[in-house]
Each structure stands twice: as structure tokens, then as C-alpha cells.
Amino acid sequence: MPSYEDLKKWDFEYFWHPFTQMKEYMERDPVIVERGDGVFLYDVKGNKYIDGISSLWVNIHGHNREELNQAIGEQLSKIAHSTTLGISNVPAILLAKKLVEITPKRLRKVFFSDTGACAMEIGIKVAYHYWQNLGVKGKRKFLSVRNGYHGDTIGAMSVGGIDLFHSIYKPLLFENYLAPSPYCYRCELNANPATCGLLCLEKLDEIAKKHKDELCAIVCESAVQAAGGMIVLPQGYMKGLREIADRYGLLLVLDEVAVGFGRTGRMWGCEHENVEPDIMAIAKGLTGGYLPVAATLVTDEIYNAFLGDYTKTFYHGHTYTGNPLGCACALKNIELFERDKVLEALQSKIEHLTKRLEEFWELKHVGDIRQKGFLVGIELVKDRKTKEPFPYRERTGFKVIYKARERGVLIRPLGDVIVIMPPLVIDLENLDKLIDVIKWSIKEVTER
Ligand code: PLP
């Protein structure tokens, strides 16, 4: 293997990293991962780290998991890839069937792709095209939620609501209605969450009512606005979305890309309120964090609107749609959930995590602690009383994660929100270590 110094040199010279200010990245020695095992990542220097964010919210059963490796190996000995444009393959058929069995009942058809953004892009196009195929031509817009994030393609950004990521592209994006975010810690409506009766949802209802004839669908992340800062949707919000969509004849598109596959303690975020969307996007955890497979699930009613004459066809596809290696891995991932009773085992870990998170209130600069199952966001502020944030340019969140690296923990913040989202299989000992290191890092950075 090339030396660390060579790898570093070529990394800086040739590799443009995602969501990364390269100038800042090149100011320090990069972590160059060589291998993984369980909840640990090992870099080329031999350092060992806990993977505290599941390699960007994807890993479920740990790295280098024998069963997943084997499933991929077995499929590889048959075929790595064949197209699904006009023909089919065994793992994709079996995975489509399995996904229909384990997702909300009304979702009956599966359209495969390869990233969360694609799965959402497809959801948006299907929702629009559905109304066109029904002959309802005026429905061309979407109603989504501020602070929402659905990926970085043009359509997914158009329904996104994070200014930092999206505002520069505004001239390229399609017009979209944005409802207030249910970000109770910093309510943009200045309401009191304890007494407001979901005022943000009322505002969303008003927009839906006013524009129902031009709207295709309501689009929202399920259970948690993840990239927006781990903003947990208040109780009743998802149910409210379903009711509003039904009231005004709109489709409901739920994005389960981040929360799906057990992160919230249930298989799907929408299960927490027994809500069934018309369209649902899944990705990240679908292959246990191994391979890029995503899917958009729809109801029979939607699918049937595309059946018939060739002019009704959904002309969308990606070269690797239904990739056999990825689908074989996804099938094994789901099998492991069932065989190892992963969700049952997770419940006591969630309780433990909840208890441990209480300790973070001891830290002076913790403004808010948000948790939904195994998804956590700790918002750091300059002043807890006034909620004044740290100046953006201080990069407090990044300072904390660099500190955590010194003690063997890899995490990544969302601004000044420190994210904790370990693989679901983490044991209590390593969960404790992860929490201890993060707590220490916040204290070191904000109280010294
Ligand atoms: N939707 C949600 C809720 C996400 O959190 C993400 C990624 O973080 C995406 C969509 C985009 O997924 P991908 O990065 O696979 O395109």
C-alpha cells in the first residue's frame, strides 16, 4: 500500500470531497480509512475509531459483517450487474417483494434507484406525472417544509428548505411552497410549543388550502428533519400532514431516507404515528450501509395511473437501477433485522442513551438535546438563556468533532448541532465510550 504521506498528497491533489470546504480540509492531516470491523473504523495509520454516525447514517449491523460480505460474494459469483430496463433479475424481484411486505400496507410497488436524492427525485416526478396522467394538468407545485433536506439534485433541492445549502441554486430550482419548520427550540412563529397546538401545521394547512389546485403533494421527512439539525417532528405532526393531504386531495410524500431501517427505534419513522404515505423514499440503511441502493415505494393507485398506453410510461431510470449485488445485500440486511431481532435489542439501548443524554445538561453551552430513538442532535449555543448561537465562523461544531478524534471517535456535526447516530448493533460499553468522548469534547471546546 502507498505510504500515508503519498495518500495524503494525492487526496489533496485529486479528490474533491462532498460537503467539504477543501481549504479547511487541507489544513489538517486527513483520516484515511483503510478498513472497518463492527462499530469501528481503522485508518491507514492504525488508529481505531468508533463510527459515531454510522458512516453518514447508513451502517446498521456493523462493518465487515460476515453475512453481508457472504451475500455479496455469492451474488458476485453469479452476476454483478444486468440491466432492469425491460428485463429483470432475481435479487431485485425478491427485494421488491420483501420491501412491499415490510413497509406500510398501502405501498405496493417499488421503483429502484441508487441514492436518497434519486429516490426523492423519483417521488417528486411520479407525484407530478400521476396528476398529468389523470388529466389534472394544473397541479405542478409542491408544498414542503422549511429546514427539510431531501438530497442535492435539482428536484430534491427544490423541495428542500435549508438556505445554507440551497439558496445559491435558487435560480435553477422550480417554484415551491414552504411551510414553517416544526423547529420548536427556535420557533419561527414565536409560538410556545407547550401551548401552540401545532401552529406550524396550521400554517401548512392554510397554504395547502389556498393552493390545493396547483399542488401535487406535500413533501416532508418522516419523524425527524435530520440534516436540518435533528429536528424531531412534534407528536401529531405526521398525522396532521396525512389529514391535510386527504382534506385537499394531495399526495403525501414521506422521506424515510435518514430515519428508515430502525434509526428511530421502529422500522419506519411514520410508524410512530401510524401514518401511511402515498409515496415513500428509502435509501441509506437499505443495504445495511454497504452499497448504494435506494427505492421509491408507491400505492397501487399511483402505479395504475401509469399503466396502459405507452404515453403514460414513467420515462425515468438509472443505469444501475435494481443492481443485483446491492439488492442481494439489501435482502440479507433485512434478514439480519429479523433473525437477530435488531429492533427488540435496540429498545434498551435507546433507554440507556436517553438517560445518558441527561448528563449533557451539565454542560454550559448545550442549548437543546433532541432525540428520536437512536438519532440524536445536541445543539450548542453561546448563551443557553438567550439561545444566542456561537458565531458561525467559529466553527464550534467542527472543533468538537476534531477534539473527539483525539480520543477515538469519528462524528460529523450539522453546524453547531452535534450528531450521535451509531450503528444499531453498538453494545452498551461502546455506546458509553462514544457518549463519554463527545461529552468531554464539548466541554473541552466550549468551556476552556
Ligand atoms: N433525504 C434525507 C432525509 C437525507 O437525510 C438525505 C441524506 O442525508 C437524503 C435524502 C439524500 O440522500 P443521498 O445522500 O443518498 O442522496
Side-chain angles (χ1 to χ4, degrees), residues 50 76-77 104 122 143 190 193 202 243 276 280 286 307 309 317 324 339 346 367 386 413 420 439 445:
I50 296 180
L76 192 56
S77 68
I122 288 161
L143 168 53
N190 288 321
E202 246 175 67
E243 283 165 12
E276 300 207 3
M280 182 166 124
L286 174 50
L307 269 187
D309 191 59
R339 192 199 74 185
L346 187 61
T386 62
I420 310 177
K439 195 176 156 199
V445 169

Side-chain angles (χ1 to χ4, degrees), residues 196-207 244:
C196 75
L198 294 180
L199 186 61
C200 49
L201 198 60
E202 246 175 67
K203 296 285 173 201
L204 187 144
D205 187 319
E206 281 168 22
I207 303 172
I244 294 166

Side-chain angles (χ1 to χ4, degrees), residues 58-61 67-68 71 95 99 102 261 267 283-290 326-340 342 424:
V58 296
N59 195 282
I60 307 271
H61 309 290
E67 296 93 327
L68 295 174
L95 180 59
L99 287 174
I102 65 169
F261 292 95
M267 196 62 165
K284 289 193 187 278
L286 174 50
T287 58
Y290 262 55
C327 291
C329 181
L331 277 166
K332 187 56 79 176
N333 167 45
I334 297 167
E335 191 186 313
L336 289 183
F337 261 100
E338 293 167 356
R339 192 199 74 185
D340 296 351
V342 170
L424 304 191

